[in-house]
């Protein structure tokens, strides 16, 4: 007998083979279940019949211009509400609808790297059609408890303020939240760039939800310049796309990211942004006549985001140890983080990076609020080297901002307070960072150590960046091997600390004010 | 008053039609009065579809055949036998229609199900596949 033994069974290929068999099943000479469109409008078709249709099942609407796909979202006793995935111009009442027999799937795999696709996996970058060997389910259950592992590996963003104070681990969900034009996307892009610069091997999946194509084109250009595009997939939807595509975009992109997670690799998901996603879902829900709740969102808007973000996880060793990290973005109105969608996503994620408009216009960029930002699980994943120099950074910075606001009212301050304010100012200056310039681990460790250990106490706040630059240049020129060792992320030993101190004090001399 | 679903109405009408109680005339008058009273006359077509669906479930299958050319009596008989076998019907009432727009082949429609082997549909499927590529 040549039967395959159960231990040799490849479950992944089995499920794919089965899906192919379903698609290629010869259904000729069989009666297909059909329905008929009774009403159509605003991208929603109401269908009579198809009693065996399942939730989220794909339906084929036969129009004179070809088959238009839709997916069933409202399963009522007398009719089905389905959201169209394509142009609704050719869809008319009376047209025949058939069940496709599958739920939504998108192409997944390495073939998508470097490409810009829509949520159905069709190329948008003018390149050849995507010919992926595998497909992934758009809606998929999250990994269970036993399939997971605690977050412990760092996912370096290259942004000193984040890596030092709010470290992110692989498999974590860290929300980026703030008003419009406060640098939310910039943080996400820098994180993507850092993955290429530091050769982390992390695959980036950027989901643009309802964003102008001109903005996406600029982003693609920048990522190409930085050499990141080769390890990036962009799933793009524009404001002119139907709400159904905007709704599907993050789920489809997550399916693409899950491929890497499930193959023992690491992927980073950036959802830009979930506010627009919630708005698209609200539009769909209202058109499907679901009852509106708070801010007119449907009752399941929490589930909309929780089931999406729960798919990000660090897998157990038995499942290959891959990870899917999520950086969802939420836009607030006038800094109100207590609105409906922001509070929902804050409660779902493992922490948030809050960006303040005031800080942004003061020139403190990235405009990260030390008081309102938090990383709940990242501490365990922080690089030992960075951890060794940043233990009191967050507290010091928060105290400085409080002291500084008091200090502006009085003139007489004791020496200790003055010193704390001075160091806080230096720290604030140090944590300012240009966009597209992520810092390596050794650069972060050296810079933070120089300020927090008081080696730069003689340098005025205005000259801190110059002093930092001089220090980094000096260390790279004179101690390149040591810095390469430090870059590996281990806690610096005494000898290393001595090298940093000597170089920092020497660099500070040139900028004493 | 709770709104009765079309399915419930159709199930009642189909069952009554099979049982013959009340009489067909009385039943249809009852249904017409109900639809007028509840201002649901615009749902008539859909209710008829649902009634056909329930009747088909009970073995009374109304079948419509569309073809580009007139079918011979033998072909119709063969199609009727096919429908009977496929739907496990006890009674099949066949109606046929000539529709040159289907170009060729045949389309068999029974309540809620269909077998479309027309050339026009095959062309539509082909068109969609080419669009995807």
């Amino acid at each position: 007998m040549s039967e395959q033994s159960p231990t040799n069974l490849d479950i992944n290929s089995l499920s794919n083979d089965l899906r192919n068999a379903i698609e290629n099943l010869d259904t000729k000479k069989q009666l297909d279940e059909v329905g008929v469109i009774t009403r159509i409008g605003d991208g929603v078709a109401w269908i009579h019949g198809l009693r065996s249709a399942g939730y989220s099942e794909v339906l084929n609407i036969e129009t004179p211009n070809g088959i238009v796909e839709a997916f069933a979202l409202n399963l009522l006793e007398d009719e089905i509400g389905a959201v169209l995935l394509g142009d609704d111009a050719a869809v008319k009442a009376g047209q025949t609808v058939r069940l496709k027999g599958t739920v939504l799937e998108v192409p997944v795999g390495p073939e998508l790297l470097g490409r810009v696709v829509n949520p159905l996996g069709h190329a948008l970058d003018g390149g050849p059609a995507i010919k992926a060997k595998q497909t992934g389910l758009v809606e998929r259950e999250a990994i269970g408890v036993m399939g997971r592992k605690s977050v412990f590996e760092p996912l370096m963003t290259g942004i000193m303020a984040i890596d030092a104070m709010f470290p992110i681990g692989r498999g974590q969900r860290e929300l980026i939240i703030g008003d419009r034009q406060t640098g939310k996307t910039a943080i996400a892009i820098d994180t993507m760039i850092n993955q290429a610069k530091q050769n982390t091997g992390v695959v980036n999946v950027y989901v643009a939800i309802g964003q102008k194509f001109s903005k996406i084109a600029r982003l693609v250009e920048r990522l190409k310049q930085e050499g990141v595009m080769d390890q990036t997939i962009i799933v793009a939807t524009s404001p002119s796309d139907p709400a159904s595509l905007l709704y599907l975009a993050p789920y489809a992109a997550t399916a693409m990211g899950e491929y890497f997670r499930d193959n023992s690799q690491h992927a980073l998901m950036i959802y830009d942004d979930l506010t627009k996603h919630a708005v698209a879902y609200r539009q769909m829900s209202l058109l499907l006549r679901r009852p509106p709740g708070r801010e007119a969102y449907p009752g399941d808007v929490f589930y909309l985001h929780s089931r999406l973000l729960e798919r990000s996880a660090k897998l157990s060793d038995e499942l290959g140890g891959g990870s899917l990290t999520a950086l969802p973005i939420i836009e607030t109105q006038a800094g109100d983080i207590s609105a409906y969608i922001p509070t929902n996503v804050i409660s779902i994620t493992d922490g948030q990076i809050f960006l303040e408009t005031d800080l942004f216009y003061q020139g403190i960029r990235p405009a990260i609020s030390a008081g309102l930002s938090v990383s709940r699980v990242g501490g365990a994943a922080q690089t030992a080297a960075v951890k060794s120099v940043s233990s009191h950074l967050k507290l010091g910075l928060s105290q400085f901002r409080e002291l500084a606001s008091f200090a502006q009212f009085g003139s007489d301050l004791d020496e200790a307070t003055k010193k704390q304010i001075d160091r806080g100012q230096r720290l604030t200056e140090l944590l300012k960072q240009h966009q597209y310039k992520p810092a390596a681990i050794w650069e972060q460790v050296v810079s933070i150590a120089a300020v927090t250990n008081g080696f730069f106490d003689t340098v005025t706040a205005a000259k801190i960046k110059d002093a930092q630059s001089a220090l980094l240049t000096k260390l790279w020129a004179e101690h390149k091997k040591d810095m390469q060792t430090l870059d590996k992320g281990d806690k610096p030993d005494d000898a290393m600390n001595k090298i940093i101190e000597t170089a920092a004090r020497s660099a500070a001399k040139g900028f004493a004010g | 008053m709770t709104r009765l679903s079309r399915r419930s109405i159709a199930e009642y009408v189909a069952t009554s039609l099979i049982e013959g109680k009340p009489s067909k005339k009385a039943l249809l008058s009852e249904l017409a009065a109900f639809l007028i009273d509840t201002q649901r006359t615009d749902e008539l077509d859909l209710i008829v579809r649902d009634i056909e669906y329930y009747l088909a479930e009970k073995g009374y299958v109304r079948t419509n055949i569309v073809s580009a050319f007139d079918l011979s009596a033998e072909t119709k008989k063969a199609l009727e036998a096919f429908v009977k076998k496929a739907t496990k019907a006890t009674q099949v009432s066949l109606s046929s229609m000539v529709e040159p727009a289907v170009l060729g082949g045949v389309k068999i429609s029974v309540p809620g199900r269909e077998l479309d082997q027309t050339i026009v549909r095959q062309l539509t499927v082909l068109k969609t596949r080419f669009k995807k590529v």
Side-chain angles (χ1 to χ4, degrees):
Chain A
M1 288 240 318
S2 62
E3 224 173 85
Q4 197 173 17
S5 89
T7 47
N8 292 337
L9 269 177
D10 182 355
I11 301 298
N12 277 337
S13 78
L14 183 72
S15 100
N16 281 325
D17 292 346
L18 193 56
R19 278 198 199 112
N20 289 337
I22 290 170
E23 280 197 359
N24 300 324
L25 191 69
D26 185 11
T27 52
K28 282 176 187 169
K29 296 177 190 170
Q30 278 187 24
L31 291 166
D32 296 331
E33 190 172 355
V34 291
V36 64
I37 296 183
T38 56
R39 289 174 282 149
I40 170 85
D42 302 310
V44 174
W46 295 91
I47 297 155
H48 177 270
L50 296 179
R51 294 185 180 190
S52 60
Y55 180 77
S56 199
E57 188 165 353
V58 182
L59 312 176
N60 285 336
I61 302 171
E62 292 178 2
T63 75
N65 296 340
I67 291 168
V68 174
E69 289 190 337
F71 63 108
L73 274 187
N74 264 24
L75 301 177
L76 305 174
E77 191 178 359
D78 284 335
E79 58 189 351
I80 292 172
V83 178
L84 300 182
L85 291 171
D87 187 17
D88 64 354
V91 181
K92 303 266 186 302
Q95 284 169 344
T96 305
V97 188
R98 282 170 213 270
L99 293 173
K100 194 177 177 186
T102 58
V103 287
L104 269 174
E105 286 178 2
V106 285
V108 298
E111 296 85 357
L112 285 150
L113 290 172
R115 303 300 303 269
V116 183
V117 295
N118 77 358
L120 302 175
H122 300 158
L124 292 177
D125 52 8
I130 311 275
K131 285 182 180 161
K133 291 188 187 88
Q134 286 190 40
T135 56
L137 292 174
V138 169
E139 287 274 2
R140 191 176 154 192
E141 235 178 90
I143 293 282
V145 178
M146 298 314 287
R148 291 173 187 249
K149 198 175 178 184
S150 293
V151 170
F152 72 97
E153 299 153 296
L155 186 123
M156 301 293 287
T157 63
I159 298 165
M160 274 196 285
I162 296 175
D163 291 339
M165 295 190 286
F166 318 106
I168 299 170
R170 292 184 185 181
Q172 187 177 342
R173 292 88 45 93
E174 182 80 1
L175 170 66
I176 301 172
I177 183 168
D179 282 3
R180 59 183 294 277
Q181 294 293 317
T182 50
K184 302 183 294 296
T185 306
I187 287 181
I189 294 170
D190 278 359
T191 307
M192 286 161 68
I193 292 173
N194 195 48
Q195 304 318 309
K197 290 250 163 91
Q198 309 301 325
N199 266 329
T200 58
V202 173
V203 169
N204 305 307
V205 184
Y206 180 86
V207 195
I209 304 167
Q211 287 191 25
K212 284 181 281 188
F213 275 163
S214 59
K215 191 182 168 188
I216 296 162
R218 277 201 304 275
L219 170 70
V220 172
E221 207 48 49
R222 171 53 81 166
L223 293 180
K224 279 182 182 165
Q225 273 176 33
E226 302 287 344
V228 192
M229 201 54 202
D230 292 342
Q231 61 186 74
T232 302
I233 302 169
I234 294 183
V235 180
T237 53
S238 80
S240 62
D241 282 329
S244 55
L245 282 189
L246 270 66
Y247 160 76
L248 283 177
Y251 298 103
T254 306
M256 294 170 191
E258 278 172 335
Y259 168 84
F260 299 100
R261 182 197 69 184
D262 297 342
N263 283 287
S264 307
Q265 287 177 272
H266 303 279
L268 166 69
M269 301 294 313
I270 291 161
Y271 303 107
D272 195 1
D273 64 70
L274 291 187
T275 313
K276 285 199 194 84
H277 183 238
V279 169
Y281 187 58
R282 174 170 66 183
Q283 180 187 329
M284 270 171 46
S285 298
L286 292 173
L287 290 169
L288 285 164
R289 308 199 173 210
R290 291 180 179 174
R294 184 176 158 188
E295 293 178 26
Y297 287 105
D300 62 345
V301 76
F302 184 91
Y303 179 56
L304 172 81
H305 290 147
S306 62
R307 75 171 191 268
L308 170 73
L309 294 169
E310 200 59 14
R311 287 162 72 176
S312 296
K314 167 71 191 163
L315 296 192
S316 65
D317 294 337
E318 289 76 25
L319 292 179
S323 73
L324 191 68
T325 311
L327 293 182
I329 294 176
I330 286 281
E331 185 182 300
T332 52
Q333 302 290 329
D336 181 16
I337 53 170
S338 63
Y340 192 26
I341 302 302
T343 46
N344 276 357
V345 184
I346 284 172
S347 72
I348 294 164
T349 48
D350 306 310
Q352 72 274 350
I353 291 161
F354 183 60
L355 303 173
E356 282 186 46
T357 313
D358 287 350
L359 292 177
F360 188 84
Y361 288 112
Q362 282 168 32
I364 302 169
R365 298 172 194 178
I368 296 167
S369 162
L372 289 172
S373 304
V374 68
S375 174
R376 296 195 188 98
V377 296
Q382 194 171 27
T383 315
V386 180
K387 201 173 199 168
S388 69
V389 292
S390 62
S391 51
H392 302 299
L393 204 60
K394 191 184 172 194
L395 185 67
L397 206 61
S398 301
Q399 282 175 343
F400 153 69
R401 290 207 177 136
E402 203 168 314
L403 277 175
S405 61
F406 275 112
Q408 63 186 345
F409 297 115
S411 54
D412 288 337
L413 295 170
D414 62 273
E415 207 50 42
T417 311
K418 266 187 191 169
K419 212 172 171 184
Q420 201 167 2
I421 290 176
D422 284 348
R423 194 170 285 180
Q425 281 170 341
R426 277 187 215 102
L427 208 53
T428 307
E429 280 303 315
L430 180 82
L431 294 179
K432 285 182 186 174
Q433 210 172 328
H434 288 294
Q435 202 183 345
Y436 312 126
K437 295 263 185 282
I441 296 173
W442 75 270
E443 292 174 322
Q444 296 191 24
V445 175
V446 166
S447 306
I448 296 167
V451 173
T452 52
N453 293 331
F455 309 147
F456 274 2
D457 276 0
T458 53
V459 181
T460 55
K463 287 183 179 171
I464 277 289
K465 290 309 273 186
D466 296 331
Q468 181 200 13
S469 176
L471 170 63
L472 296 179
T473 313
K474 190 179 170 65
L475 280 170
W476 193 249
E478 295 169 13
H479 302 278
K480 191 174 174 182
K481 277 199 172 166
D482 292 317
M483 293 306 111
Q484 281 170 336
T485 309
L486 185 60
D487 207 36
K488 286 176 184 159
D490 296 329
K491 191 179 172 182
D493 55 15
D494 290 343
M496 186 73 79
N497 285 331
K498 195 72 198 160
I499 292 171
I500 296 170
E501 184 180 348
T502 314
R505 288 197 191 282
S506 160
K509 278 179 193 158
F511 301 94
Chain B
M1 202 176 79
T2 329
R3 188 181 186 277
L4 266 181
S5 69
R6 283 198 296 264
R7 278 199 192 190
S8 312
I9 299 168
E11 194 174 3
Y12 166 73
V13 175
T15 315
S16 303
L17 279 173
I18 293 165
E19 288 173 356
K21 284 182 196 171
S23 69
K24 190 177 172 183
K25 195 179 170 190
L27 180 69
L28 295 183
S29 303
E30 194 184 333
L31 178 62
F34 172 78
L35 293 178
I36 291 166
D37 189 40
T38 52
Q39 299 180 345
R40 291 175 68 178
T41 46
D42 56 336
E43 293 179 43
L44 187 64
D45 286 344
L46 298 175
I47 291 171
V48 171
R49 276 174 175 275
D50 281 327
I51 293 169
E52 284 176 353
Y53 185 91
Y54 274 103
L55 286 173
E57 272 189 349
K58 303 282 180 193
Y60 301 88
V61 180
R62 190 190 66 79
T63 308
N64 189 37
I65 294 169
V66 179
S67 57
F69 310 99
D70 208 2
L71 300 174
S72 66
E74 265 184 12
T75 312
K76 281 182 185 171
K77 212 171 178 182
L79 288 173
E80 191 177 331
F82 167 75
V83 171
K84 217 167 188 174
K85 195 180 168 192
T87 60
K88 292 173 185 138
T90 49
Q91 187 184 318
V92 175
S93 59
L94 203 75
S95 63
S96 62
M97 207 170 92
V98 174
E99 178 64 71
V102 301
L103 301 176
V106 67
K107 182 163 96 174
I108 307 166
S109 304
V110 300
R113 290 160 80 190
E114 190 180 271
L115 172 63
D116 194 341
Q117 293 286 295
T118 57
I119 291 176
V120 74
R121 176 156 194 272
Q122 285 169 27
L123 287 173
T124 308
V125 173
L126 206 63
K127 201 176 188 178
T128 311
R129 278 192 189 154
F130 270 112
K131 267 187 189 173
K132 274 188 182 173
V133 172

